[in-house]
Amino acid sequence: MKYYLLLLGVLVLASCETFNAFRGPASVKPKHYIITIHGIAGSPDSFEGVLPALEEHLYAVNQSYDISLRNFKYSTGEKTAEIERFVSEFENYLVKEIPVLNDGDKISLVTHSQGGLVGYIWYLKALDGVDLKQRAYMERVNGFVTLGSPFWGSRTTFLLKKFIPNADIQDFIFDKMKYGEQEITDLTAASEKIYGYFSRMAQKNYVNIYYDPRMLNISGVVPASKGEEMEKKSKFLKFINDLKKKVVKVFDYRLNVGTRWESDQAVNVSSARLGFYYYSDALTRYMELEKKHNLTVEDFDYSRFFKTDPKYILVEGVHAKASGYPAYAIASVPEECIDPGQCKHPTYLYVFKHLANCEDPKVACRMDRYTDIVKRLEVAKSTLSLETNEMLRNEMRTFNLGLDLELPKNFVPPKDMLDSKTLMNYLQVDYYYGNDNKKHLKDAKKDGLIKNSLLNYEVRIGRLNEWGSRIINYSADKNKLQIQLTGTVQPISTAPSSFDVNKKYPLQMVINIPGLKKRKLVIPLQPTYTTFLDLQLD
């Protein structure tokens, strides 16, 4: 009998082993899901070699996780598609691709352009919403990278609407470039969608101390060396580049030294940075039971909606692949980046370091491997540019100023306030024209020049000849006027050392619209930031 019982036990054990083998070995490691979200007219191909390189390097430095790569593709390019639809598609995608989250699993998002808006709006929707499934995904986000994301809109989309007013031609171009018409409208600076979204954010009075997506905003600056490389190839290209510099000097803002654009050719440095200064009438009225008509710099707050602020990195790179210069594109990286010694790319090092998070002592990194990979990436990257991130940051001068003006019911704004040429008659600032006969007030207004000799700085705001520096959007349904002004703040003296990019510089403005009460404002401006005013005029 004992013999039969022993035989039965062996058979049972054997059957269990057979069943376990059929199921495959149980994994004890948590998963690290890395999900890419592309931009307008993009696809997973926009990221090219990013995921294979991350898989190789992240696993090398931390084998506590199984790396699981994902590409999210959504319905960009459809005529009426909008961001809310893309967010809904992402929610469905998560449920389908990651039906179960196990203990210790984490999620990283790597996003490009519009994809950063999709991911960010999804995150806050899950944070504030009642969908427990989406909230569970949101809580696992432990790394969130945005590459050239137009949080405050793009001037390029403004150009498409402004200078191609013919609807048929627009449709033809949108179809060829795979742009959705609604996407173009929503992504334009001062759009109703963007301002409505940030208005709701500015009215929230809380610091979220529980969740931290560990966000990194990467903003591109057109490489100064790009033109030099073109000039070496032919005299004709040198002529074109010289001509381009002259045109850019009139129609686009650059550094005061005139060496580069402060944008990646699609999104300027301030738009790609999520952190912003703001003042909200609605919030002040809620907190203090009254509205302030005269504002000072101290009345402005800084947006703090997460445990830690998003990091902000500047790189030399363009928005997307440029013919002959693929290494400069901030989203895609060459396949050779899997070998750090060959990775001459401006953004990959920062993406890898952020997602590895080895600076956190609680993360179990192999620091010898991490240090080796970073060291080789830094050496390879240095051949692309001699400028460090800190030097780039100290050279930046541009800012955005956004005004979301809620007008009284039945009040109709003056027609010339909706015209960029005459807008500044109502947003009054003290233009500088001095005693120099060659510098008349008319010229100062065109150049948007304001000087503060006492504090040794000057502002150029809403330059008349600079495309996209005065963007106006009027919503008759809501009787709201959205305005975005772009400008530079820089030292009056020629010594750059006299200028601190980490300071806020005050701008005095009076909103003076006939029939409404005047608003006197002292507005803080800072290079690479947006300042946003959510005002209810009466």
Side-chain angles (χ1 to χ4, degrees), residues 103-329:
D103 290 344
D105 289 352
K106 65 179 181 178
I107 296 172
S108 291
L109 303 178
V110 180
T111 67
H112 177 227
S113 194
Q114 179 179 253
L117 281 170
V118 174
Y120 181 57
I121 292 173
W122 164 78
Y123 188 96
L124 285 189
K125 180 183 176 184
L127 179 66
D128 292 337
V130 296
D131 189 330
L132 297 181
K133 185 77 172 177
Q134 294 301 318
R135 191 179 182 89
Y137 293 122
M138 178 275 299
E139 291 174 7
R140 299 298 183 92
V141 174
N142 189 245
F144 190 165
V145 179
T146 67
L147 302 162
S149 290
F151 292 112
W152 293 94
S154 168
R155 299 195 307 171
T156 303
T157 53
F158 164 76
L159 277 177
L160 290 173
K161 303 287 284 187
K162 176 74 174 177
F163 296 109
I164 311 174
N166 184 282
D168 292 334
I169 297 176
Q170 279 188 11
D171 287 344
F172 176 78
I173 293 175
F174 295 163
D175 182 62
K176 289 296 180 183
M177 300 183 74
K178 295 182 172 58
Y179 288 165
E181 183 177 348
Q182 189 62 47
E183 290 176 278
I184 291 293
T185 299
D186 291 346
L187 288 181
T188 298
S191 75
E192 187 178 349
K193 182 66 63 68
I194 285 177
Y195 273 28
Y197 183 68
F198 279 106
S199 177
R200 291 192 295 275
M201 282 185 62
Q203 291 175 28
K204 291 183 178 181
N205 184 35
Y206 69 89
V207 178
N208 193 292
I209 61 173
Y210 301 105
Y211 301 109
D212 181 6
R214 291 190 55 254
M215 181 177 278
L216 168 65
N217 301 150
I218 295 180
S219 181
V221 177
V222 172
S225 59
K226 184 176 178 182
E228 296 168 6
E229 293 174 5
M230 291 173 63
E231 290 177 9
K232 291 177 184 177
K233 292 187 176 182
S234 76
K235 291 182 179 179
F236 176 72
L237 287 177
K238 184 179 186 307
F239 166 76
I240 292 296
N241 200 42
D242 287 340
L243 183 62
K244 182 180 177 182
K245 287 178 181 178
K246 292 177 181 178
V247 172
V248 165
K249 190 171 183 179
V250 177
F251 292 104
D252 202 358
Y253 54 84
R254 301 181 296 163
L255 291 179
N256 59 320
V257 293
T259 57
R260 66 170 83 244
W261 288 344
E262 291 190 32
S263 74
D264 61 11
Q265 294 182 320
V267 178
N268 74 9
V269 292
S270 307
S271 284
R273 183 177 205 146
L274 182 60
F276 63 101
Y277 298 104
Y278 71 93
Y279 170 83
S280 168
D281 274 340
L283 180 57
T284 304
R285 194 175 257 164
Y286 172 75
M287 297 294 294
E288 302 180 16
L289 304 180
E290 63 179 356
K291 182 172 65 177
K292 296 180 179 179
H293 275 81
N294 298 335
L295 301 184
T296 66
V297 169
E298 287 71 30
D299 292 316
F300 286 78
D301 204 347
Y302 181 74
S303 61
R304 297 185 184 277
F305 297 94
F306 299 126
K307 190 175 181 180
T308 58
D309 278 344
K311 292 181 182 178
Y312 184 69
I313 295 289
L314 285 165
V315 299
E316 285 196 316
V318 294
H319 195 75
K321 279 190 176 182
S323 178
Y325 299 95
Y328 287 110

Side-chain angles (χ1 to χ4, degrees), residues 261-447:
W261 288 344
E262 291 190 32
S263 74
D264 61 11
Q265 294 182 320
V267 178
N268 74 9
V269 292
S270 307
S271 284
R273 183 177 205 146
L274 182 60
F276 63 101
Y277 298 104
Y278 71 93
Y279 170 83
S280 168
D281 274 340
L283 180 57
T284 304
R285 194 175 257 164
Y286 172 75
M287 297 294 294
E288 302 180 16
L289 304 180
E290 63 179 356
K291 182 172 65 177
K292 296 180 179 179
H293 275 81
N294 298 335
L295 301 184
T296 66
V297 169
E298 287 71 30
D299 292 316
F300 286 78
D301 204 347
Y302 181 74
S303 61
R304 297 185 184 277
F305 297 94
F306 299 126
K307 190 175 181 180
T308 58
D309 278 344
K311 292 181 182 178
Y312 184 69
I313 295 289
L314 285 165
V315 299
E316 285 196 316
V318 294
H319 195 75
K321 279 190 176 182
S323 178
Y325 299 95
Y328 287 110
I330 61 176
S332 59
V333 305
E335 290 287 350
E336 62 259 24
C337 277
I338 292 176
D339 176 4
Q342 302 297 316
C343 187
K344 300 176 183 179
H345 190 268
T347 62
Y348 178 72
L349 168 64
Y350 301 111
V351 176
F352 163 66
K353 287 177 66 176
H354 191 71
L355 297 192
N357 196 25
C358 289
E359 289 81 4
D360 187 338
K362 292 181 286 187
V363 177
C365 284
R366 281 285 305 269
M367 291 306 296
D368 55 337
R369 295 179 181 177
Y370 175 76
T371 302
D372 177 62
I373 291 173
V374 168
K375 191 178 293 184
R376 287 191 286 149
L377 282 169
E378 286 175 339
V379 170
K381 178 179 173 292
S382 67
T383 60
L384 177 69
S385 169
L386 297 176
E387 298 176 270
T388 64
N389 185 270
E390 192 62 28
M391 289 172 65
L392 281 174
R393 185 185 301 274
N394 290 330
E395 289 180 344
M396 297 295 104
R397 300 290 183 263
T398 65
F399 63 82
N400 290 333
L401 173 58
L403 297 102
D404 191 10
L405 307 180
E406 183 179 336
L407 304 173
K409 188 177 181 180
N410 300 324
F411 179 83
V412 180
K415 283 187 178 180
D416 56 348
M417 191 176 182
L418 308 182
D419 187 333
S420 60
K421 292 181 180 179
T422 49
L423 167 68
M424 299 307 290
N425 292 335
Y426 301 92
L427 307 179
Q428 297 169 351
V429 294
D430 289 330
Y431 290 112
Y432 172 84
Y433 57 99
N435 298 316
D436 188 345
N437 292 331
K438 294 180 180 179
K439 190 69 176 177
H440 298 296
L441 177 59
K442 184 178 179 182
D443 295 327
K445 283 186 174 181
K446 284 184 178 179
D447 206 28

Side-chain angles (χ1 to χ4, degrees), residues 492-527:
I492 293 174
S493 67
T494 55
S497 59
S498 64
F499 185 77
D500 185 356
V501 295
N502 297 310
K503 281 179 58 178
K504 299 188 288 290
Y505 293 86
L507 168 72
Q508 296 188 34
M509 176 182 287
V510 177
I511 300 178
N512 189 7
I513 306 172
L516 302 180
K517 292 179 182 178
K518 284 185 182 180
R519 299 292 297 270
K520 295 181 180 180
L521 320 169
V522 181
I523 303 167
L525 304 174
Q526 186 172 341

